[in-house]
Amino acid sequence: MINDNKVAAGENAGTGSSGHTATPMIRMSNVKKSFGDKHILRGIDLEVKKGESLVVIGGSGTGKSVLLKNILGILEPDEGTIEVDGHVTTHMRGRARVELMHKFGMLFQGAALFDSLPVWENVAFGLIHGEKMSKGQAREIAVEKINAVGLSAQRVADLYPAELSGGMQKRVGLARAIATSPEIIFFDEPTTGLDPIMADVINDLIVESVKGLGATALSITHDMASARKIADKIAMIYEGEIIWCGDIKDLDNSGNPYVEQFIHGRAEGPISKHSDFAKSAKSKA
Amino acid sequence: MPFTLVLNIFAAVGQSFLSFFAAVGRLFVFAAKAVGHIFAPPFFGRITLKQFMDIGYYSLPVVGMTTLFTGMVLALQSYTGFTRFNAEGAIASVVVLSITRELAPVLAGLMVAGRVGASIAAEIATMRVTEQIDALVTLSVNPFKYLIVPRIVAGTLMLPILVLIGDIIGIMGGYIVSVHALDFSVGSYLKQTFDVLQAADVISGLVKAAVFGFIVTLMGCYHGFNSGRGAQGVGAATTNAVVSASILILIFNYVLTQVFFS
Ligand SMILES: Nc1ncnc2c1ncn2[C@@H]1O[C@H](COP(=O)(O)OP(=O)(O)OP(=O)(O)O)[C@@H](O)[C@H]1O
Ligand SMILES: [Mg+2]
């Protein structure tokens, strides 16, 4: 199923960005994950080079969030291997896992803010507890990051998450993900629920985090405008496998009917015939 | 046909036995892990202190009311019973012994299971459902250390203190009824009280309290942490935490009484 395009694009991208990247920052080979008899990931092969921004696209419920959680170690794959910066991390536990987590920043799809803590402590959490920074210093960085995501720190820093709108919570989640300046950042639908202007602010911020700080990014989005802005490469997941992976510039002439249907948002095409959603929609009609 | 029915019944019974033992095993692993994390740094002192307040201080009114009225009703009931045998003099000992050995720890344990166990389960289950626990992990913080250890430590240490205060209030309740409603003389009632009061009785009650505090917070954490998905998961976690903690308290109360007084 895997397109030849993937291999070609994968080899080119590294040389374009930083040159010395023989080992990819993230590599998944044949990763499988099931919940009961629901086979969500059915052999994922994916590589992200250092300093590269990869965007994963794919239908709702195809396992994009599950894919991120497998790399993070929140879920454990049933089969296959995951390597981070050349080290196998598939079943890593304990102290080694905690050390590995220092490399990661994650924006959750539902923000996942700690509702017992004020906004600034949410953003500063990784600095205070993970990096053992003093509270005063951590607050300064938190305020800076809150402003960077387009919120007024003066107004929101001491509010609790429940007092914010969904889009504001999402941005606080983003501020928390980048607060520790991690090497690898995961964004699960960073622009969902934001107005178009704020979405673009966030896109710029992601580009800046990746290009400015040299981080590696793996994002998930349904927002094709956002994908085009933040991606160096695009991968499409369908039925538990990566069916296409290539440079963003090749997206419009991928020659892959699944990708074409997805990026143009057409109801008719190869995807609707198989997806669960289409089945249930038909049976209702 | 009847034979397969019998077989099916056996299969169902066997199945539920197996899943029961699996559940007990999971609980033991969870408890061992939690206890292990109590003694290994990093420690979250400020968060633990907050739990001392939440679990200890804010349970004081509930526990105080419970033991006060229990002491009062004990005096009243034993008076109506004992006057038939001219044994009114035994009221003070009944109050002291029942409160310190049994009623203060058990009732405080059950009340705290309802108040604290439920809220721990609901809070942690909500954190699980909204991925806050996953978020902790990605921020390099172990959820056992950050969420579970502070609650279990606070529960185990605070319940004995609550029960000690409950002992005093309960005995006072008996005193108030005896002296003001039943016309005992202050001097003789107090003398009887202090004659029967023994450190061993109080201490056995406090040990029970510590065990119950551990049970309540452990069950709250366990059911919250392993909660199912969605609002339904949170609801089920809360119910399971309260029910299992209450039943375990009653079982362990019997076991501990057997150990202490036989
Ligand atoms: N912990 C879990 N237990 C059981 N099933 C799960 C679990 N996590 C995810 N799933 C299932 O895996 C499938 C994929 O979920 P996932 O959240 O990865 O979808 P997604 O691609 O991120 O979709 P969306 O674009 O809507 O966010 C879903 O069918 C979901 O029900
Ligand atoms: Mg998702």
Side-chain angles (χ1 to χ4, degrees), chain A residues 10-96:
Chain A
E11 277 165 2
N12 296 338
T15 48
S17 53
S18 45
H20 62 281
T21 49
T23 52
M25 206 59 175
I26 301 168
R27 176 194 300 200
M28 304 177 80
S29 2
N30 195 31
V31 170
K32 296 183 182 173
K33 179 75 189 173
S34 308
F35 297 104
D37 56 2
K38 279 193 295 184
H39 304 292
I40 307 297
L41 305 182
R42 303 179 189 177
I44 296 279
D45 294 294
L46 195 66
E47 278 187 16
V48 192
K49 298 227 164 8
K50 189 168 165 40
E52 187 177 73
S53 172
L54 175 81
V55 169
V56 177
I57 58 174
S60 206
T62 46
K64 303 182 298 299
S65 299
V66 169
L67 181 133
L68 287 196
K69 287 178 188 171
N70 273 280
I71 304 174
L72 282 163
I74 295 169
L75 293 172
E76 215 173 309
D78 301 330
E79 254 180 74
T81 48
I82 295 169
E83 286 165 62
V84 175
D85 209 3
H87 303 285
V88 177
T89 64
T90 322
H91 304 288
M92 196 181 254
R93 276 160 204 263
R95 194 137 301 171

Coordinates of all heavy atoms in Angstrom, one line a residue, chain A residues 10-96:
Chain A
G10 N 11.3 11.0 1.8 CA 12.0 10.8 3.1 C 13.5 11.0 2.9 O 14.1 11.7 3.8
E11 N 14.1 10.6 1.9 CA 15.5 10.8 1.7 C 15.9 12.2 1.4 O 17.0 12.7 1.8 CB 16.0 9.8 0.6 CG 16.3 8.4 1.1 CD 16.4 7.4 0.0 OE1 16.3 7.8 -1.2 OE2 16.5 6.2 0.3
N12 N 15.1 12.9 0.7 CA 15.4 14.3 0.3 C 15.3 15.3 1.4 O 16.1 16.2 1.6 CB 14.5 14.7 -0.8 CG 14.7 13.9 -2.1 OD1 15.8 13.3 -2.2 ND2 13.8 13.9 -3.0
A13 N 14.3 15.0 2.3 CA 13.9 16.1 3.2 C 15.1 16.4 4.2 O 15.3 17.6 4.5 CB 12.7 15.7 4.0
G14 N 15.8 15.4 4.7 CA 16.8 15.6 5.6 C 17.9 16.5 5.1 O 18.4 17.4 5.7
T15 N 18.4 16.2 3.9 CA 19.5 16.9 3.3 C 19.1 18.4 3.1 O 19.9 19.3 3.2 CB 19.9 16.4 1.9 OG1 18.7 16.1 1.2 CG2 20.6 15.0 2.1
G16 N 17.8 18.6 2.9 CA 17.3 20.0 2.7 C 17.4 20.8 4.0 O 17.9 21.9 3.9
S17 N 17.1 20.2 5.1 CA 17.0 21.0 6.3 C 18.3 21.1 7.1 O 18.8 22.2 7.2 CB 15.9 20.4 7.2 OG 16.1 19.1 7.5
S18 N 18.9 20.0 7.5 CA 20.1 20.3 8.4 C 21.3 19.4 8.0 O 22.4 19.6 8.6 CB 19.7 20.0 9.8 OG 19.0 18.9 9.9
G19 N 21.2 18.5 7.1 CA 22.4 17.8 6.6 C 22.9 16.6 7.4 O 23.0 15.6 6.8
H20 N 23.1 16.8 8.7 CA 23.7 15.8 9.5 C 22.8 14.7 10.1 O 23.1 14.0 11.0 CB 24.5 16.4 10.6 CG 23.7 17.1 11.6 ND1 23.2 18.4 11.3 CD2 23.2 16.8 12.8 CE1 22.5 18.8 12.3 NE2 22.5 17.8 13.3
T21 N 21.6 14.6 9.5 CA 20.6 13.8 10.1 C 20.5 12.4 9.5 O 19.6 12.1 8.7 CB 19.2 14.4 10.1 OG1 19.0 14.8 8.7 CG2 19.1 15.6 11.0
A22 N 21.4 11.5 9.9 CA 21.3 10.2 9.4 C 20.2 9.4 10.1 O 19.4 8.8 9.5 CB 22.7 9.5 9.6
T23 N 20.2 9.5 11.5 CA 19.1 8.9 12.2 C 17.9 9.8 12.3 O 18.1 11.0 12.7 CB 19.6 8.5 13.6 OG1 20.1 9.6 14.2 CG2 20.5 7.4 13.6
P24 N 16.7 9.3 12.0 CA 15.6 10.2 12.1 C 15.3 10.5 13.6 O 15.7 9.7 14.5 CB 14.5 9.4 11.5 CG 14.9 8.0 11.5 CD 16.4 8.0 11.5
M25 N 14.6 11.6 13.9 CA 14.2 11.9 15.3 C 13.2 10.9 15.8 O 13.2 10.5 16.9 CB 13.7 13.3 15.3 CG 13.8 14.0 16.6 SD 15.6 14.1 17.1 CE 15.4 15.0 18.6
I26 N 12.2 10.6 14.9 CA 11.2 9.6 15.2 C 11.1 8.6 14.1 O 11.1 9.0 13.0 CB 9.8 10.3 15.4 CG1 9.8 11.4 16.5 CG2 8.7 9.2 15.7 CD1 8.6 12.2 16.5
R27 N 11.1 7.3 14.5 CA 10.9 6.3 13.5 C 9.9 5.3 14.0 O 10.1 4.7 15.1 CB 12.2 5.6 13.1 CG 12.0 4.5 12.1 CD 13.2 3.6 11.9 NE 14.3 4.4 11.5 CZ 15.4 3.9 10.9 NH1 15.5 2.7 10.7 NH2 16.3 4.7 10.5
M28 N 8.9 5.0 13.3 CA 7.9 4.0 13.7 C 8.0 2.9 12.6 O 8.0 3.2 11.4 CB 6.5 4.5 13.7 CG 6.3 5.7 14.6 SD 4.6 6.3 14.6 CE 3.8 5.1 15.7
S29 N 8.2 1.6 13.0 CA 8.2 0.6 12.0 C 7.2 -0.5 12.4 O 7.2 -1.0 13.4 CB 9.6 -0.1 11.8 OG 10.5 0.5 12.6
N30 N 6.3 -0.7 11.5 CA 5.2 -1.7 11.6 C 4.5 -1.7 12.9 O 4.3 -2.7 13.5 CB 5.9 -3.1 11.4 CG 4.8 -4.2 11.1 OD1 3.8 -3.9 10.6 ND2 5.1 -5.4 11.6
V31 N 4.2 -0.5 13.4 CA 3.5 -0.3 14.7 C 2.0 -0.7 14.5 O 1.3 -0.2 13.7 CB 3.6 1.1 15.2 CG1 2.7 1.3 16.4 CG2 5.1 1.4 15.6
K32 N 1.6 -1.6 15.4 CA 0.2 -2.1 15.5 C -0.4 -1.8 16.8 O 0.3 -2.0 17.8 CB 0.1 -3.6 15.1 CG 0.6 -3.9 13.7 CD 0.4 -5.3 13.3 CE 1.0 -5.5 11.9 NZ 1.0 -6.9 11.5
K33 N -1.6 -1.4 16.8 CA -2.3 -1.2 18.1 C -3.8 -1.5 17.9 O -4.4 -1.0 17.0 CB -2.2 0.2 18.6 CG -2.9 0.5 19.9 CD -2.1 0.0 21.1 CE -2.9 0.1 22.3 NZ -2.3 -0.6 23.5
S34 N -4.3 -2.4 18.8 CA -5.7 -2.7 18.8 C -6.4 -2.4 20.1 O -5.7 -2.5 21.2 CB -6.0 -4.2 18.4 OG -5.3 -4.5 17.3
F35 N -7.7 -2.1 20.1 CA -8.4 -2.1 21.4 C -9.5 -3.2 21.2 O -10.4 -3.0 20.4 CB -9.1 -0.7 21.6 CG -8.1 0.4 21.7 CD1 -7.9 1.3 20.7 CD2 -7.4 0.6 22.9 CE1 -7.0 2.3 20.8 CE2 -6.6 1.6 23.1 CZ -6.3 2.5 22.0
G36 N -9.3 -4.3 22.0 CA -10.2 -5.4 21.8 C -10.1 -5.9 20.3 O -9.0 -6.2 19.9
D37 N -11.2 -6.0 19.6 CA -11.1 -6.4 18.2 C -11.1 -5.3 17.3 O -11.3 -5.4 16.1 CB -12.2 -7.5 17.9 CG -13.6 -6.9 18.2 OD1 -13.7 -5.7 18.6 OD2 -14.6 -7.7 18.0
K38 N -11.0 -4.0 17.8 CA -10.9 -2.9 16.9 C -9.4 -2.7 16.6 O -8.6 -2.3 17.4 CB -11.4 -1.6 17.6 CG -12.9 -1.5 17.6 CD -13.3 -0.1 18.0 CE -13.0 0.2 19.4 NZ -13.4 1.5 19.9
H39 N -9.0 -3.0 15.3 CA -7.6 -2.8 14.9 C -7.4 -1.4 14.4 O -7.8 -1.1 13.3 CB -7.3 -3.8 13.9 CG -7.5 -5.2 14.3 ND1 -6.8 -5.9 15.3 CD2 -8.5 -6.1 13.9 CE1 -7.3 -7.1 15.5 NE2 -8.3 -7.3 14.7
I40 N -6.8 -0.6 15.3 CA -6.7 0.9 14.9 C -5.5 1.1 14.1 O -5.6 1.6 13.0 CB -6.7 1.7 16.2 CG1 -7.9 1.4 17.1 CG2 -6.7 3.2 15.8 CD1 -9.3 1.7 16.5
L41 N -4.3 0.8 14.6 CA -3.1 0.9 13.8 C -2.7 -0.5 13.3 O -2.6 -1.4 14.1 CB -2.0 1.5 14.7 CG -2.3 2.8 15.4 CD1 -1.0 3.3 16.2 CD2 -2.7 3.9 14.4
R42 N -2.5 -0.5 12.0 CA -2.3 -1.9 11.4 C -1.0 -2.0 10.7 O -0.9 -2.6 9.6 CB -3.4 -2.2 10.4 CG -4.8 -2.1 11.0 CD -5.8 -2.4 10.0 NE -7.2 -2.1 10.5 CZ -8.3 -2.2 9.7 NH1 -8.2 -2.5 8.5 NH2 -9.4 -1.9 10.3
G43 N 0.0 -1.4 11.3 CA 1.4 -1.4 10.6 C 1.8 -0.1 10.1 O 1.8 0.2 8.9
I44 N 2.0 0.8 11.1 CA 2.4 2.2 10.7 C 3.9 2.3 10.5 O 4.7 1.8 11.3 CB 2.0 3.2 11.8 CG1 0.5 3.2 12.1 CG2 2.6 4.6 11.6 CD1 -0.2 4.1 11.1
D45 N 4.3 2.8 9.4 CA 5.7 3.1 9.1 C 5.8 4.6 8.9 O 5.2 5.1 8.0 CB 6.2 2.3 7.9 CG 6.2 0.8 8.1 OD1 7.0 0.4 8.9 OD2 5.4 0.2 7.4
L46 N 6.7 5.2 9.7 CA 6.7 6.7 9.6 C 8.1 7.2 10.1 O 8.7 6.6 11.0 CB 5.6 7.3 10.5 CG 5.3 8.7 10.3 CD1 4.6 8.9 8.9 CD2 4.3 9.1 11.4
E47 N 8.6 8.2 9.4 CA 9.9 8.8 9.9 C 9.8 10.3 9.9 O 9.2 10.9 9.0 CB 11.0 8.4 8.9 CG 11.6 7.1 9.1 CD 12.8 6.8 8.3 OE1 13.4 7.8 7.7 OE2 13.2 5.7 8.1
V48 N 10.3 10.9 11.0 CA 10.4 12.3 11.0 C 11.8 12.7 11.3 O 12.4 12.3 12.2 CB 9.5 12.9 12.1 CG1 9.4 14.4 12.0 CG2 8.1 12.3 12.1
K49 N 12.4 13.5 10.4 CA 13.8 13.9 10.5 C 13.9 15.0 11.5 O 13.0 15.8 11.8 CB 14.3 14.3 9.2 CG 14.3 13.2 8.2 CD 15.7 13.1 7.5 CE 15.9 11.7 6.8 NZ 14.8 10.8 6.7
K50 N 15.1 15.2 12.0 CA 15.4 16.3 13.0 C 15.1 17.6 12.3 O 15.5 17.9 11.2 CB 16.8 16.2 13.5 CG 17.2 17.1 14.6 CD 18.5 16.8 15.1 CE 19.2 17.8 16.0 NZ 18.4 18.5 17.0
G51 N 14.4 18.5 13.1 CA 14.1 19.8 12.5 C 13.0 19.9 11.5 O 12.8 20.9 10.9
E52 N 12.4 18.7 11.3 CA 11.3 18.7 10.2 C 10.0 18.8 10.9 O 9.8 18.4 12.0 CB 11.5 17.3 9.5 CG 10.7 17.1 8.3 CD 11.0 15.7 7.7 OE1 10.5 14.7 8.3 OE2 11.6 15.7 6.7
S53 N 9.0 19.3 10.1 CA 7.6 19.4 10.6 C 6.8 18.5 9.7 O 6.6 18.7 8.5 CB 7.1 20.8 10.5 OG 5.8 20.9 10.8
L54 N 6.3 17.4 10.3 CA 5.4 16.4 9.6 C 4.0 16.6 10.1 O 3.7 16.7 11.2 CB 5.9 15.0 9.9 CG 5.0 13.9 9.2 CD1 5.3 13.7 7.8 CD2 5.1 12.6 10.0
V55 N 3.1 16.7 9.1 CA 1.7 16.8 9.4 C 1.0 15.5 9.0 O 1.2 15.0 7.9 CB 1.0 18.0 8.8 CG1 -0.5 17.9 8.9 CG2 1.5 19.3 9.4
V56 N 0.2 14.9 9.9 CA -0.5 13.7 9.6 C -2.0 14.1 9.4 O -2.6 14.8 10.2 CB -0.5 12.6 10.8 CG1 -1.3 11.4 10.4 CG2 1.0 12.2 11.0
I57 N -2.5 13.7 8.2 CA -3.9 13.9 7.9 C -4.6 12.6 7.8 O -4.0 11.6 7.7 CB -4.1 14.8 6.6 CG1 -3.5 14.1 5.5 CG2 -3.5 16.2 6.8 CD1 -3.8 14.7 4.1
G58 N -5.9 12.7 8.0 CA -6.7 11.4 7.9 C -8.1 11.6 8.5 O -8.3 12.6 9.3
G59 N -9.0 10.8 8.2 CA -10.4 10.9 8.6 C -10.5 10.8 10.1 O -9.6 10.4 10.8
S60 N -11.7 11.3 10.6 CA -12.0 11.2 12.0 C -12.0 9.8 12.5 O -12.6 8.9 11.8 CB -13.3 11.9 12.3 OG -13.4 12.4 13.5
G61 N -11.4 9.5 13.6 CA -11.4 8.1 14.1 C -10.5 7.1 13.5 O -10.6 5.9 13.7
T62 N -9.5 7.6 12.7 CA -8.6 6.7 12.0 C -7.4 6.3 12.8 O -6.6 5.5 12.4 CB -8.2 7.2 10.6 OG1 -7.8 8.6 10.9 CG2 -9.2 7.2 9.6
G63 N -7.3 7.0 14.0 CA -6.2 6.6 14.9 C -5.1 7.6 14.9 O -4.0 7.2 15.3
K64 N -5.3 8.8 14.6 CA -4.2 9.8 14.6 C -3.8 10.1 16.0 O -2.6 10.1 16.3 CB -4.7 11.1 13.9 CG -5.2 10.8 12.5 CD -5.5 12.1 11.8 CE -6.7 12.8 12.4 NZ -8.0 12.1 12.4
S65 N -4.8 10.3 16.9 CA -4.4 10.6 18.3 C -3.7 9.4 18.9 O -2.8 9.5 19.7 CB -5.6 11.0 19.1 OG -6.2 12.2 18.6
V66 N -4.2 8.2 18.6 CA -3.6 7.0 19.1 C -2.2 6.8 18.6 O -1.3 6.4 19.4 CB -4.5 5.7 18.6 CG1 -3.8 4.4 18.9 CG2 -5.8 5.8 19.3
L67 N -1.9 7.2 17.4 CA -0.6 7.2 16.9 C 0.4 8.1 17.7 O 1.4 7.6 18.2 CB -0.6 7.7 15.4 CG 0.7 7.7 14.7 CD1 0.5 7.1 13.3 CD2 1.3 9.1 14.5
L68 N 0.0 9.3 18.0 CA 0.8 10.2 18.9 C 1.0 9.5 20.2 O 2.1 9.6 20.8 CB 0.1 11.5 19.1 CG 0.1 12.5 17.9 CD1 -0.3 13.9 18.4 CD2 1.4 12.6 17.2
K69 N -0.1 9.0 20.8 CA 0.1 8.5 22.2 C 1.0 7.3 22.2 O 1.6 7.0 23.3 CB -1.3 8.1 22.7 CG -2.1 9.4 23.1 CD -3.5 9.0 23.6 CE -4.3 10.3 23.7 NZ -5.7 10.0 24.0
N70 N 1.1 6.5 21.1 CA 2.0 5.4 21.1 C 3.5 5.9 21.1 O 4.3 5.4 21.8 CB 1.8 4.6 19.9 CG 0.8 3.5 20.1 OD1 1.1 2.5 20.7 ND2 -0.5 3.7 19.7
I71 N 3.7 7.0 20.4 CA 5.1 7.6 20.4 C 5.4 8.1 21.8 O 6.5 7.9 22.3 CB 5.2 8.7 19.3 CG1 4.9 8.2 18.0 CG2 6.7 9.2 19.3 CD1 4.9 9.2 16.9
L72 N 4.4 8.8 22.4 CA 4.6 9.3 23.7 C 4.8 8.3 24.8 O 5.3 8.6 25.9 CB 3.5 10.2 24.1 CG 3.4 11.6 23.5 CD1 2.0 12.2 23.6 CD2 4.4 12.5 24.1
G73 N 4.3 7.1 24.5 CA 4.4 6.0 25.6 C 3.2 6.0 26.5 O 3.1 5.3 27.4
I74 N 2.2 6.8 26.2 CA 0.9 6.8 27.0 C 0.2 5.5 26.6 O -0.5 4.9 27.5 CB 0.1 8.0 26.7 CG1 0.8 9.3 27.1 CG2 -1.3 7.9 27.3 CD1 0.1 10.5 26.7
L75 N 0.3 5.1 25.4 CA -0.2 3.8 25.0 C 1.0 2.9 24.5 O 1.9 3.5 24.0 CB -1.2 3.9 23.8 CG -2.6 4.6 24.1 CD1 -3.3 4.8 22.8 CD2 -3.4 3.8 25.1
E76 N 0.9 1.6 24.7 CA 2.0 0.8 24.3 C 1.6 0.0 23.1 O 0.5 -0.6 23.1 CB 2.3 -0.2 25.5 CG 3.8 -0.5 25.6 CD 4.1 -1.3 26.8 OE1 3.7 -1.0 27.9 OE2 4.7 -2.4 26.7
P77 N 2.4 0.0 22.0 CA 2.0 -0.7 20.8 C 2.0 -2.2 21.1 O 2.7 -2.8 21.9 CB 3.1 -0.4 19.8 CG 4.2 0.4 20.6 CD 3.7 0.7 21.9
D78 N 1.1 -2.9 20.3 CA 1.0 -4.4 20.4 C 2.2 -5.0 19.7 O 2.7 -6.1 20.1 CB -0.3 -4.9 19.8 CG -1.5 -4.3 20.5 OD1 -1.4 -4.0 21.7 OD2 -2.5 -4.1 19.8
E79 N 2.6 -4.3 18.6 CA 3.7 -4.9 17.8 C 4.5 -3.7 17.2 O 4.0 -2.6 17.1 CB 3.0 -5.7 16.6 CG 3.1 -7.2 16.7 CD 2.5 -7.8 15.5 OE1 3.1 -7.8 14.4 OE2 1.4 -8.4 15.7
G80 N 5.6 -4.1 16.7 CA 6.4 -3.0 16.0 C 7.4 -2.3 16.9 O 7.4 -2.5 18.1
T81 N 8.2 -1.4 16.3 CA 9.1 -0.7 17.2 C 9.0 0.8 16.9 O 8.7 1.3 15.8 CB 10.6 -1.1 16.9 OG1 10.8 -1.0 15.4 CG2 10.9 -2.4 17.4
I82 N 9.3 1.6 18.0 CA 9.4 3.0 17.9 C 10.7 3.5 18.4 O 11.2 3.0 19.4 CB 8.3 3.6 18.8 CG1 6.9 3.3 18.3 CG2 8.4 5.2 18.9 CD1 5.8 3.6 19.2
E83 N 11.4 4.3 17.6 CA 12.7 4.8 18.0 C 12.6 6.3 18.0 O 12.0 7.0 17.2 CB 13.7 4.4 16.9 CG 14.2 3.0 16.9 CD 14.9 2.6 15.6 OE1 16.0 3.2 15.4 OE2 14.4 1.8 14.9
V84 N 13.2 6.9 19.1 CA 13.3 8.3 19.2 C 14.8 8.7 19.3 O 15.5 8.1 20.2 CB 12.6 8.8 20.5 CG1 12.8 10.3 20.7 CG2 11.1 8.5 20.4
D85 N 15.2 9.5 18.4 CA 16.6 9.9 18.3 C 17.6 8.7 18.3 O 18.6 8.7 19.0 CB 16.9 10.8 19.5 CG 18.0 11.8 19.2 OD1 18.5 11.8 18.0 OD2 18.4 12.6 20.1
G86 N 17.2 7.6 17.6 CA 18.1 6.5 17.5 C 18.0 5.5 18.6 O 18.6 4.4 18.5
H87 N 17.2 5.8 19.7 CA 17.0 4.8 20.7 C 15.6 4.1 20.7 O 14.6 4.8 20.5 CB 17.1 5.4 22.1 CG 18.4 6.2 22.3 ND1 19.6 5.5 22.5 CD2 18.7 7.5 22.2 CE1 20.6 6.4 22.6 NE2 20.1 7.6 22.4
V88 N 15.6 2.8 20.8 CA 14.3 2.1 20.8 C 13.6 2.5 22.1 O 14.1 2.3 23.2 CB 14.5 0.6 20.7 CG1 13.2 -0.1 20.8 CG2 15.2 0.3 19.4
T89 N 12.3 3.0 22.0 CA 11.6 3.4 23.2 C 10.3 2.6 23.3 O 9.5 2.9 24.2 CB 11.3 4.9 23.1 OG1 10.4 5.1 22.0 CG2 12.5 5.7 23.0
T90 N 10.1 1.6 22.5 CA 8.8 0.9 22.4 C 8.2 0.6 23.8 O 7.1 0.9 24.1 CB 8.9 -0.3 21.5 OG1 9.8 0.0 20.5 CG2 7.5 -0.7 21.0
H91 N 9.0 -0.1 24.6 CA 8.5 -0.6 25.9 C 9.2 0.0 27.0 O 9.3 -0.6 28.1 CB 8.5 -2.1 25.9 CG 7.8 -2.8 24.8 ND1 6.4 -2.8 24.7 CD2 8.2 -3.4 23.7 CE1 6.0 -3.4 23.6 NE2 7.1 -3.8 22.9
M92 N 9.8 1.2 26.8 CA 10.6 1.8 27.9 C 9.7 2.2 29.1 O 8.6 2.6 28.9 CB 11.2 3.1 27.3 CG 12.3 3.7 28.0 SD 12.9 5.1 27.1 CE 14.4 4.6 26.4
R93 N 10.3 2.1 30.3 CA 9.5 2.4 31.5 C 10.4 3.1 32.5 O 11.6 3.4 32.2 CB 9.1 1.1 32.2 CG 7.9 0.5 31.6 CD 7.8 -1.0 32.0 NE 6.9 -1.6 31.0 CZ 5.6 -1.8 31.2 NH1 5.1 -1.5 32.3 NH2 4.9 -2.4 30.3
G94 N 9.8 3.4 33.6 CA 10.6 4.0 34.7 C 11.3 5.2 34.5 O 10.9 6.1 33.8
R95 N 12.5 5.3 35.0 CA 13.3 6.5 34.9 C 13.7 6.9 33.5 O 13.6 8.1 33.1 CB 14.6 6.3 35.8 CG 15.3 7.6 36.0 CD 15.8 7.7 37.5 NE 14.7 7.6 38.4 CZ 14.9 7.5 39.7 NH1 16.1 7.4 40.2 NH2 13.9 7.4 40.6
A96 N 14.0 5.9 32.7 CA 14.4 6.1 31.3 C 13.2 6.8 30.6 O 13.4 7.7 29.8 CB 14.7 4.8 30.6

